[in-house]
Structure formats: C-alpha cells, structure tokens
Amino acid sequence: MQVLERTPTLQTKLPAVGTTIFTVMSQLAAEKGAVNLGQGFPDFACDPALVNAVTSAMQSGHNQYPPMTGVPALRNAVATKIEALHARKYSADTEITITAGATQAIITAILAVVRTGDEVIVLEPCYDSYVPNIELAGGTVVRVPLTPKTFRPDFEKISAAITPKTRAILINSPHNPSATIWSEAEMLQLQDILAPTEILLISDEVYEHMVFDGQQHQSATRFAGLAARAFIVSSFGKTYHVTGWKVGYVAAPASLTAEFRKVHQFNVFTVNTPVQHALAAYMASPAPYQELPAFYQRKRDLFLSGIQKTRLKPLHTQGSYFQCVDISAISDLNEADFCKWLTTEIGVAAIPLSAFYGNGFDQRVVRFCFAKKDETLLLALERLAKL
Ligand code: PMP
Ligand code: GLN
C-alpha cells in the first residue's frame, strides 16, 4: 500500500485573510523601537485590587470548570449593571452569558444564527473579525459604508441593503476605528428600519464606558424594539484595562441566548473561573466604570492638544480610546504606507483606516490609540511634533 507522505493540500476557507494589521503594526513598532499607538491596548497596569481578587479566587479554590453559562455572581453583576444604567432587566439565568472576550461572543452569535446563504450587513469601516466570522458561518457579507470622514450611519443605504435574505446587522458604538458614537436619534432610526423585519442585531458595545463630553452611551438595551432582537456584546478587557484576560459577555433575550449557548458550549464550553470570580467581586462597586469617561477624556485631551500643534488634522473623538487624524496636509502616501513610514522614520505606530474596509478604501485617515501612560503619549507627541 502506498503511504501519503506529504501534507494533504487544503483549500483555504478564508482566502482574503492574512495576519491582522494590529499584529503587523505592533511587530513593526517593536522592531523599530517606535512608540506603539497602533494596536488598541493600555500600556498601564490595571487596579491591583483586581489582580488580588484573582489571586484570592485561586487561593479559595475556584480553579475548576465554572457553569457553562458563566459564574452566577458575575452574570448577576452584569444584569444589575445593565439595569442600573439602561433600565432594562435581563435574567442572569437565561439572558446573560460570560464569554472569552468580545471576539468569541461575536463569532458565537454569528455561528448561532447565520445559515448558508444568509446575508449579514456590516457597516464599514468595521472591526476586522466581523467579515471572516460571517464567512465562516457560510453567510454573505453585505458591506454598507458609513459616511466617509464623518462616519455617520447612512440610513438610506442601510435600508437599501436589506433583502428577504438579511439575517442580521452588526453595529458598533462607540466605534472602532472612527471614535464616533451613535446618537439616540440614530438608534431610533435603526429601530424603525428593523421594526417590520425579522433581522437580528449584533451590537458591539465593547467601548460602552468610554463616552466623553457628558454624552450618554446609547446601548441597544435602551430601545425595546432593538433589545428584543439584539445580542449585546461587551468586554471586561476594555473597561478594566485587562485586554489580555479575554473575558466578556453577551446579553440577549432568552430565546436568542438559548441558541447562543448551544454554540458556546461547544466553542469554549466555559471561561476562566478565577477571573470570573474576581470580576464579580470587583463589580460590586460601580466606581471604576463610572470614573472611566473622565480618565480617558483627560488622556484624549492631552493627546489632542499635542496633535493640534502638528499638521495632522484631528477628527472628533466622541468615545472609545482612539484618535483619528487626517494625514493629507502632510503626505501623499496612502494610509498603510504612511503608517509604515511614521513607524519607521518618526518612531510612532498608527493603524490605517483602510484596514477596516474590504476594498481598502483610503480616505487619508489613520488611527492612534491613547490608552497609554501620559509619558508614552508625551514621548509620541514629542516625535510627532516634527510633522
Ligand atoms: N470589538 C471591537 C470593536 C474591538 O475593538 C475589540 C477589541 N479588540 C473587540 C471587539 C474584541 O474584544 P475582546 O478583546 O474582548 O475579544
Ligand atoms: N481592539 C484592538 C484594536 O482595534 C486590538 C485588536 C487586536 O489586536 N485584535 O486595536
């Protein structure tokens, strides 16, 4: 019998996917000794109390599988928080699920509801996992652009994209990468458009606690007609400065949660036990997330005041920890080449917005992350002052 001694050939399921721009830019920044304002993550420590809470959860013996749906105390804490902030009651038992970060929450929601041939609307620019997630589920991606430069949703275009095959729409506010937030009027408009349909909503709200200038995060949970059809996704990584812990949650009506959990249990089954106990204990106080807007608004303003002294033209950051800038007064390079040049020659890494579009649309805008120590931001600004 002849034995096959080579690796079987494989037809890729994701032909358009390479290494993510975040990894590429972080590697280049490290190689060139650049200040990394590219990939979105804090370079400062989380609250030591949170680390101590994990240690004590481990020492108390919380080291085996937790319930598939998440530790009850954490699901209760999430339900209590959503009710306090948005006046909507979710059942901790049947409507909240703890996930391995928002990334797993989003792919699990998509795998749970999207069938072969279903259409799913994404609003570009969008976070880079959405499109491959839809493709892995056998869905067809329908890309609707947000208005270039202002990034406002274009409801005529959204309505025009809806067909009888539309299964779901993904939205994200506060928005990565543009740092805009959806207004109440925009959420109401979306609610009206979806009202006569069976379309599901996946609302990526990972930056929910980073909203500035006294504005309110317009969670989909605040709108009855949206909440009834929505998977609300959030991430403790963003809120508590622990992106590496990869713990998040999904809130959704019981019938949607039941389907979500069918996939979740064979996707990860359960999520890190001691971290869940620690987060539950830490959430007893709302202070950390209540203080977050002021904490990040100060960093936004510090970074912005330096950017305003350069020829980079800042866009308005309403939420998230990103600052976008227009590069057209400085360079003729496209966004991706400009980011490589900036990293290599100026010593500051940024992310091209074109990476968030399927067709690489280039509007001469790049994204900086200001979730950094003041000293990191000041060093970056010192280098950017050359521009
Ligand atoms: N959605 C958006 C818009 C994000 O910016 C991120 C952060 N990378 C995620 C989802 C994923 O979050 P997590 O790290 O919790 O998986
Ligand atoms: N959310 C972060 C960003 O947009 C990091 C994402 C990642 O590294 N996958 O930069």
Side-chain angles (χ1 to χ4, degrees):
M1 197 174 59
Q2 217 186 334
V3 179
L4 184 67
E5 283 186 356
R6 59 171 177 78
T7 306
T9 42
L10 197 67
Q11 199 187 349
T12 176
K13 293 179 93 171
L14 295 170
V17 170
T19 307
T20 82
I21 187 68
F22 309 112
T23 305
V24 169
M25 291 312 301
S26 283
Q27 275 172 358
L28 187 65
E31 206 179 289
K32 303 289 177 192
V35 182
N36 188 0
L37 304 190
Q39 193 177 21
F41 65 91
D43 73 343
F44 44 83
C46 67
D47 185 344
L50 196 46
V51 175
N52 291 340
V54 179
T55 308
S56 91
M58 287 179 168
Q59 285 170 339
S60 312
H62 293 300
N63 299 304
Q64 307 308 327
Y65 294 132
M68 180 272 281
T69 57
V71 165
L74 184 55
R75 282 186 279 116
N76 280 319
V78 169
T80 303
K81 185 197 76 165
I82 295 175
E83 192 179 359
L85 293 178
H86 305 303
R88 182 160 311 279
K89 256 191 165 52
Y90 282 88
S91 155
D93 284 339
T94 59
E95 299 185 315
I96 307 275
T97 310
I98 305 303
T99 61
T103 307
Q104 184 243 318
I106 293 164
I107 193 168
T108 301
I110 289 171
L111 288 172
V113 303
V114 176
R115 292 160 187 268
T116 307
D118 284 351
E119 293 175 1
V120 181
I121 297 175
V122 300
L123 307 181
E124 285 194 324
C126 67
Y127 188 59
D128 66 347
S129 73
Y130 302 169
V131 165
N133 286 179
I134 296 162
E135 289 170 348
L136 284 172
T140 301
V141 178
V142 177
R143 302 165 190 271
V144 175
L146 295 167
T147 308
K149 292 267 161 79
T150 66
F151 304 97
R152 297 325 317 169
D154 181 331
F155 290 102
E156 270 178 34
K157 289 206 170 96
I158 293 172
S159 297
I162 292 175
T163 76
K165 287 188 178 167
T166 310
R167 171 72 57 202
I169 176 168
L170 267 132
I171 64 169
N172 169 219
S173 174
H175 186 237
N176 181 6
S178 76
T180 53
I181 59 172
W182 282 44
S183 67
E184 183 182 16
E186 287 167 335
M187 295 299 282
L188 286 168
Q189 243 176 306
L190 181 69
Q191 181 169 254
D192 282 351
I193 289 175
L194 298 184
T197 75
E198 296 285 317
I199 297 171
L200 297 167
L201 174 65
I202 300 175
S203 185
D204 179 345
E205 304 185 9
V206 299
Y207 301 103
E208 60 177 325
H209 298 296
M210 298 169 204
V211 172
F212 310 130
D213 307 316
Q215 298 221 60
Q216 160 78 48
H217 167 55
Q218 298 296 334
S219 171
T221 57
R222 299 175 81 82
F223 304 87
L226 293 178
R229 63 177 76 234
F231 294 93
I232 314 286
V233 175
S234 192
S235 169
F236 297 104
K238 313 287 176 187
T239 303
Y240 295 135
H241 316 308
V242 287
T243 59
W245 288 9
K246 298 299 295 186
V247 182
Y249 66 84
V250 171
S255 61
L256 299 187
T257 294
E259 290 305 311
F260 181 93
R261 289 176 176 176
K262 285 184 193 173
V263 179
H264 174 79
Q265 67 186 338
F266 297 127
N267 194 236
V268 289
F269 182 47
T270 53
V271 176
N272 192 306
T273 312
V275 166
Q276 289 195 59
H277 282 279
L279 287 166
Y282 196 68
M283 283 184 80
S285 165
Y289 65 76
Q290 285 170 345
E291 289 160 6
L292 209 58
F295 174 81
Y296 273 123
Q297 186 169 321
R298 196 191 61 77
K299 289 197 180 287
R300 177 197 68 173
D301 292 346
L302 172 71
F303 189 58
L304 184 62
S305 66
I307 289 291
Q308 280 164 338
K309 293 181 193 134
T310 71
R311 285 178 300 144
L312 294 167
K313 190 167 160 280
L315 278 59
H316 183 51
T317 287
Q318 299 177 300
S320 81
Y321 47 42
F322 301 116
Q323 174 68 58
C324 288
V325 298
D326 187 317
I327 60 171
S328 50
I330 290 191
S331 171
D332 291 329
L333 293 174
N334 66 38
E335 293 169 2
D337 287 343
F338 177 82
C339 288
K340 285 187 193 132
W341 173 82
L342 194 72
T343 308
T344 310
E345 301 299 326
I346 305 293
V348 181
I351 299 286
L353 256 64
S354 51
F356 296 78
Y357 289 88
N359 65 0
F361 175 66
D362 196 303
Q363 60 202 309
R364 322 299 313 288
V365 174
V366 305
R367 187 198 84 179
F368 292 113
C369 171
F370 58 77
K372 305 292 169 191
K373 294 176 198 152
D374 286 5
E375 67 202 63
T376 309
L377 295 175
L378 292 171
L379 177 60
L381 288 171
E382 196 182 301
R383 295 180 179 187
L384 293 172
K386 293 179 211 140
L387 294 174

